[in-house]
Amino acid sequence: MEKKPHFVRREFPPREVSSVSLAFLLAAVLLLNALLYLYVNKFYISSGRAETDPGLCPFGYFKLGAVKNCSPWLSCEAINREVRKLKCVGEGAVKKVFLSEWKENKVVLSQLTNSELKEDFLHGLKMLKALQSKHVVRLLGYCVQQFTILTEYHPLGSLRGLNETLHIPKYKGMNTWHRRLMLAIDYVSVIRYLHSSPLGTLVMCDSNDLDKVLSQYLLTSDFHILVNDLDALPLVNRSAGRLVKCGHRELRGEFVAPEQRWPYGEEVPFEDDLMPPYDEKTDIWKIPDVSNFFLGHVEGSDIVRLHLFDIHAACKKKDPAERPSAQEVLDTYRKVLTLLIREAAMPGTREML
């Protein structure tokens, strides 16, 4: 009778196999974390979100387009001689805005329209000069005598048009929770910068409703955010007992912070002299509403909202002193971005561990 071949079954100790697998898994997680660190670091620094930008010109100078050399801010004479108005693209309470041209570059020329508001106009110019950074639109020149300001042009316009922009075929690939959360991070970065600016703690007062907030910021072609309108930016100085009031009229609605609303009820007529002042925590109150606009209703945005629930609840504390600082909000946003990128890259990691 022919003997059947006898196969020997080799068994490996299960503990040894699982240990090897676990080692590979941990190595993969560590590698992923390193890559995420490099990615986020690159995003915040090389893509222009660092506090200081080595490419910025010295005070009083600017660079535009592909030009490598810095040019001095344009004077009254240079603006009158070299800048050509093309068309009016906007008008607010303080100034009229013209799309213009300077040496084949599109630029923006702003001119005062109401002489009664010249102090607001000059305050905006002062802020624009002092706060030049990666968070603020680039100043190209000004003329105090003619109440004109020249700034860099951004074709995507203000943030009011964000959703419309994201529906343009060219930009549909940007319409993701990831890109939208990065815009929210940019916005909070601007608020943090204003609250710890070289001039001190500044409050963004032109922010009584969502549409007004969005009109104060520009969307750049590489999908970052710049603050554009700095006309209403008062200074808080707690050590000197200096708080602020955003205007002299009564503010209403849930968008503005509770401390910005008239505290004495309907039976007492509003009087500006009786209205208590407040601090920069009014900006924190508004962050959840502005971020909710940024996140939109794309796939994954509800998951982002869930991760931001606690920090947004803290922003909505009635007592301003209990609200987080802009830095704390920014830190949380960045942590959530990193966490969600990690989970998207390795969705089964938690279960495997």
Side-chain angles (χ1 to χ4, degrees), residues 26-38:
L26 289 174
V29 171
L30 289 172
L31 177 61
L32 176 62
N33 285 337
L35 292 173
L36 281 171
Y37 173 81
L38 291 173

Side-chain angles (χ1 to χ4, degrees), residues 245 250-252 258-277:
K245 287 191 284 188
E250 183 178 1
L251 302 178
R252 296 175 179 267
E259 64 271 22
Q260 291 185 280
R261 302 172 210 152
W262 179 243
Y264 302 117
E266 295 288 340
E267 61 278 5
V268 180
F270 176 81
E271 284 188 46
D272 183 45
D273 291 340
L274 298 179
M275 180 67 199

Side-chain angles (χ1 to χ4, degrees), residues 63-70 105 138 152:
K63 283 193 296 188
L64 194 60
V67 178
K68 294 183 178 180
N69 297 326
C70 295
N105 293 291
R138 189 169 301 167
E152 188 175 15

Side-chain angles (χ1 to χ4, degrees), residues 57-177:
C57 296
F59 183 79
Y61 290 79
F62 71 92
K63 283 193 296 188
L64 194 60
V67 178
K68 294 183 178 180
N69 297 326
C70 295
S71 302
W73 286 337
L74 301 186
S75 62
C76 296
E77 181 184 358
I79 290 174
N80 291 333
R81 184 179 67 250
E82 301 172 12
V83 176
R84 182 170 63 95
K85 290 182 186 176
L86 299 178
K87 63 177 179 179
C88 179
V89 292
E91 183 172 1
V94 179
K95 51 187 177 287
K96 186 178 288 189
V97 180
F98 297 89
L99 175 63
S100 305
E101 191 175 56
W102 175 74
K103 294 186 177 180
E104 300 183 351
N105 293 291
K106 295 268 193 324
V107 293
V108 174
L109 185 70
S110 302
Q111 289 187 316
L112 178 69
T113 54
N114 185 347
S115 59
E116 294 180 0
L117 298 175
K118 64 181 181 181
E119 293 304 320
D120 292 338
F121 184 90
L122 293 175
H123 177 75
L125 173 58
K126 177 185 175 182
M127 295 293 105
L128 194 55
K129 290 164 64 179
L131 299 176
Q132 284 294 289
S133 70
K134 276 294 182 179
H135 301 288
V136 179
V137 70
R138 189 169 301 167
L139 178 64
L140 308 180
Y142 62 91
C143 179
V144 173
Q145 294 90 324
Q146 298 173 7
F147 295 99
T148 59
I149 300 173
L150 195 69
T151 54
E152 188 175 15
Y153 172 64
H154 293 278
L156 295 183
S158 81
L159 287 176
R160 283 190 294 191
L162 174 64
N163 288 324
E164 289 75 12
T165 297
L166 289 170
H167 283 96
I168 297 173
K170 179 181 177 181
Y171 298 110
K172 277 189 175 181
M174 297 285 195
N175 197 16
T176 64
W177 70 262

Side-chain angles (χ1 to χ4, degrees), residues 161-183 219 223 292-301 304-305:
L162 174 64
N163 288 324
E164 289 75 12
T165 297
L166 289 170
H167 283 96
I168 297 173
K170 179 181 177 181
Y171 298 110
K172 277 189 175 181
M174 297 285 195
N175 197 16
T176 64
W177 70 262
H178 175 242
R179 178 59 64 173
R180 283 176 171 272
L181 176 55
M182 288 200 290
L183 288 175
L219 181 65
F223 268 69
N292 188 53
F293 167 80
F294 285 131
L295 292 175
H297 300 285
V298 298
E299 182 180 357
S301 61
V304 179
R305 287 185 179 91

Side-chain angles (χ1 to χ4, degrees), residues 93-95 117-128 131 191 194-195 201-208 212 216-217 227-236 244-248 251 260 278 282-283 286:
V94 179
K95 51 187 177 287
L117 298 175
K118 64 181 181 181
E119 293 304 320
D120 292 338
F121 184 90
L122 293 175
H123 177 75
L125 173 58
K126 177 185 175 182
M127 295 293 105
L128 194 55
L131 299 176
I191 298 299
L194 295 178
H195 288 184
T201 301
L202 300 168
V203 181
M204 194 66 176
C205 266
D206 262 343
S207 56
N208 298 335
K212 186 65 174 175
Q216 309 301 303
Y217 296 86
V227 62
N228 180 52
D229 196 329
L230 302 173
D231 295 344
L233 211 61
L235 178 69
V236 169
V244 304
K245 287 191 284 188
C246 290
H248 304 287
L251 302 178
Q260 291 185 280
Y278 34 83
T282 58
D283 289 334
K286 298 160 189 172

